[in-house]
Amino acid sequence: MYTVILPTMWIAQEIAMMLPLIDAHPLIGEILVINNNIPNTPNWFKNGKWKKVKAFNPPSNIYICPAWNLGVKHAKYDKICILSDDTLFDMTVFDFLYDKIIEDNGCIGLDHRLI
């Protein structure tokens, strides 16, 4: 299973499209949303029927690197996806990478030259 770490300021519109897809994916075990802008939290998120989302609400913006670290610290699963809230992508990437994410491979990232 994957842990998806998703820091957000709720500015990007892509998160509203991707979060329901991520929440429904069978290989995603949990989604850790780091809410770096509590006053701007949209109703669609607050009122959502999330199966796998756990929200962290720091009292103020902790910024991106500490948000990633907070997510990793609380991750239940060893396959970790650090995701930007302004990214659209093909959900089959989780299926494709699942057996390739092993300790010997380390970190796997995107390369714009392959697109």
Side-chain angles (χ1 to χ4, degrees):
M1 299 292 270
Y2 289 96
T3 293
V4 174
I5 299 169
L6 183 55
T8 186
M9 292 285 291
W10 306 110
I11 297 168
Q13 300 302 307
E14 292 85 354
I15 189 172
M17 293 180 272
M18 295 305 296
L19 191 56
L21 299 174
I22 297 166
D23 193 54
H25 195 284
L27 291 176
I28 306 298
E30 65 177 349
I31 306 161
L32 306 182
V33 174
I34 315 302
N35 186 350
N36 271 329
N37 190 355
I38 294 169
N40 202 36
T41 306
N43 285 331
W44 66 261
F45 179 77
K46 290 190 268 188
N47 300 328
K49 305 264 192 268
W50 308 109
K51 294 180 253 173
K52 302 171 186 173
V53 170
K54 180 176 182 184
F56 290 84
N57 296 296
S60 62
N61 184 359
I62 62 172
Y63 301 97
I64 195 70
C65 289
W68 291 336
N69 290 337
L70 177 65
V72 170
K73 178 181 175 183
H74 291 280
K76 282 194 225 176
Y77 303 100
D78 61 348
K79 294 180 190 304
I80 295 174
C81 171
I82 295 176
L83 185 61
S84 177
D85 64 353
D86 63 352
T87 305
L88 296 174
F89 61 95
D90 183 340
M91 293 294 297
T92 61
V93 70
F94 290 112
D95 303 293
F96 175 77
L97 289 175
Y98 194 77
D99 62 343
K100 295 164 185 65
I101 299 175
I102 58 173
E103 193 171 331
D104 290 346
N105 288 340
C107 183
I108 299 173
L110 297 177
D111 185 338
H112 72 283
R113 295 172 293 176
L114 299 176
I115 299 174

